[in-house]
Structures are given as structure tokens and as C-alpha cells.
Amino acid sequence: GQQVMQIPQYQHVQEGEDFTTYCNSSTTLSNIQWYKQRPGGHPVFLIQLVKSGEVKKQKRLTFQFGEAKKNSSLHITATQTTDVGTYFCAAPTNNAGNMLTFGGGTRLMVKP
Amino acid sequence: KAGVTQTPRYLIKTRGQQVTLSCSPISGHRSVSWYQQTPGQGLQFLFEYFSETQRNKGNFPGRFSGRQFSNSRSEMNVSTLELGDSALYLCASSLDFHNEQFFGPGTRLTVL
């Protein structure tokens, strides 16, 4: 079945440093979604990328979708302690609904 | 608009028992998906219901079942509980096809 690989699993950064997490799929994706889960919380939708080569920004967060629509990345500039949490990418498993395959997540820890 | 609600928030059961979890989606959302989250396996898709019909099913044994009512509220049932069923069960609602998913706070199930 479809697999979405996400690296790294964990990342410790000093506050103010940048952070990037990557997602890769062996198959072409129709779209990719990104979610953030704070410790003890539930996943919260961040963004959806649909077009090949798409780049979207949300304040300090930059999301990219690869040209081949097989990979994606999330980059955070100048991390803050509020960025702490696990970031997941997720992609539709099929074209018949909302079944998502989630990446394993990258847990971001920020040292103040 | 009220978010996705799940009840109960916490459950402790013993092996062999059965459990029913409930999810109320955001008003107007007809798609309800269920996910199991564990430290070892991450977020795994259980099933999706749309307009009272199961639209997608993940790779879980038949002990896991669900249903959706005419008001879009959904329930999932796990029979003959096993220790490995201990997890956070998340419900997510969506407006329609390939849209962002709004997750509820989850039900933390512990099987002893």
C-alpha cells in the first residue's frame, strides 16, 4: 500500500534556529496536507498543497510540494518555543474519499 | 462553530470487553473518519463514513467497526479488546472529498 516516509523522527533545536521536516512518497500524490500536534493534543490542520512545485508561506512556516508531486517539506524559520510539537504530513490514499496516509511525524523540541 | 467532540475522553477497560466511542462532527460536515494513534504505529486510518455509508476502510481486524447516523454523528466499536488496542482514538470530520480534516480531542483507551 501507499507509504509516506517522513524524516527526521526527532529534532532538537535552539530557539531561533531553523527547522525542516521532509516527506517522501514512492507514488505521485494528488495533494499533501500538513498537520501539527502539540504534546497532549490532537492534530491540527496547517495547510494543503495541490500543485506541482507549489510553495506556500504562513508567517515563519514555508511549505513546498515537489515538482514530481512525490515529496514535500515544511521549513520553520527562527523557531520559537510555541513551535514545539509533532509535525505530520499526510496524503490521500486513494481517490475515493478522505482516507489519509500519515507520515511518521517529526517531533520538534525547542530549547529556550 | 463548535469543533469536533468525542466522548468519552478517557476509558479504562479490561481484555475481552467491548467499547463504544462517539464522535460528533462539525455542523455541516458529512465525512467522519477514525484514526488510531499509538507511539509505535503512529496515526493509522480505521474507517471513513460519508452520508451513513462506509466509504473507506483501513487494515484493521473485524473487531473494529463503526457506523454513522443520519445527523452525521458517528460511533466506533471495538469488541473483544486486546492489550494492543490501547491507543488514542481520533475522530476527524471533513466537509467533503480531499478536504482538510478537523480532528477531535480523541478518546484515550487503556486496556488492562
Side-chain angles (χ1 to χ4, degrees):
Chain A
Q2 175 175 280
Q3 283 193 313
V4 178
M5 308 304 293
Q6 192 173 352
I7 56 168
Q9 267 191 295
Y10 306 93
Q11 185 86 58
H12 287 85
V13 299
Q14 197 73 40
E15 189 172 20
E17 290 182 337
D18 291 357
F19 159 78
T20 305
T21 173
Y22 301 90
C23 267
N24 287 287
S25 168
S26 57
T27 60
T28 302
L29 304 172
S30 59
N31 69 73
I32 194 156
Q33 300 176 16
W34 285 90
Y35 292 82
K36 176 184 178 181
Q37 185 174 21
R38 286 200 161 98
H42 56 275
V44 174
F45 175 83
L46 293 175
I47 209 157
Q48 178 174 275
L49 305 172
V50 179
K51 298 176 186 174
S52 166
E54 189 169 15
V55 178
K56 285 188 176 180
K57 292 191 177 186
Q58 290 179 350
K59 297 183 181 177
R60 295 178 294 104
L61 278 61
T62 301
F63 303 84
Q64 292 191 344
F65 201 9
E67 293 289 341
K69 299 180 75 172
K70 288 185 176 182
N71 62 303
S72 181
S73 65
L74 157 60
H75 179 83
I76 302 179
T77 304
T79 55
Q80 299 175 358
T81 54
T82 53
D83 296 325
V84 162
T86 302
Y87 293 84
F88 293 96
C89 60
T93 311
N94 57 37
N95 285 320
N98 289 313
M99 181 174 179
L100 290 177
T101 297
F102 277 81
T106 297
R107 186 177 168 192
L108 172 63
M109 288 155 280
V110 180
K111 290 177 252 184
Chain B
K1 228 181 202 180
V4 178
T5 58
Q6 291 187 247
T7 56
R9 293 293 310 279
Y10 302 92
L11 263 180
I12 299 176
K13 293 284 188 180
T14 55
R15 276 182 301 173
Q17 287 186 309
Q18 76 162 21
V19 68
T20 299
L21 313 181
S22 180
C23 170
S24 291
I26 291 172
S27 176
H29 286 192
R30 294 189 295 167
S31 168
V32 175
S33 299
W34 289 88
Y35 292 84
Q36 181 196 65
Q37 186 174 32
T38 59
Q41 299 298 316
L43 273 157
Q44 292 189 290
F45 175 86
L46 281 155
F47 23 68
E48 180 204 3
Y49 287 88
F50 184 84
S51 293
E52 300 180 67
T53 301
Q54 188 179 82
R55 186 156 70 173
N56 282 291
K57 188 177 189 309
N59 192 24
F60 278 81
R63 299 185 297 107
F64 292 82
S65 63
R67 59 177 175 167
Q68 187 180 33
F69 302 96
S70 58
N71 62 357
S72 292
R73 190 177 70 84
S74 177
E75 288 182 347
M76 69 163 278
N77 185 277
V78 188
S79 61
T80 321
L81 284 165
E82 300 177 1
L83 295 178
D85 296 333
S86 294
L88 179 66
Y89 289 88
L90 292 159
C91 164
S93 78
S94 182
L95 196 56
D96 205 337
F97 183 77
H98 280 193
N99 284 149
E100 64 184 281
Q101 299 204 22
F102 294 84
F103 283 82
T107 295
R108 172 76 60 187
L109 172 65
T110 302
V111 182
L112 302 175

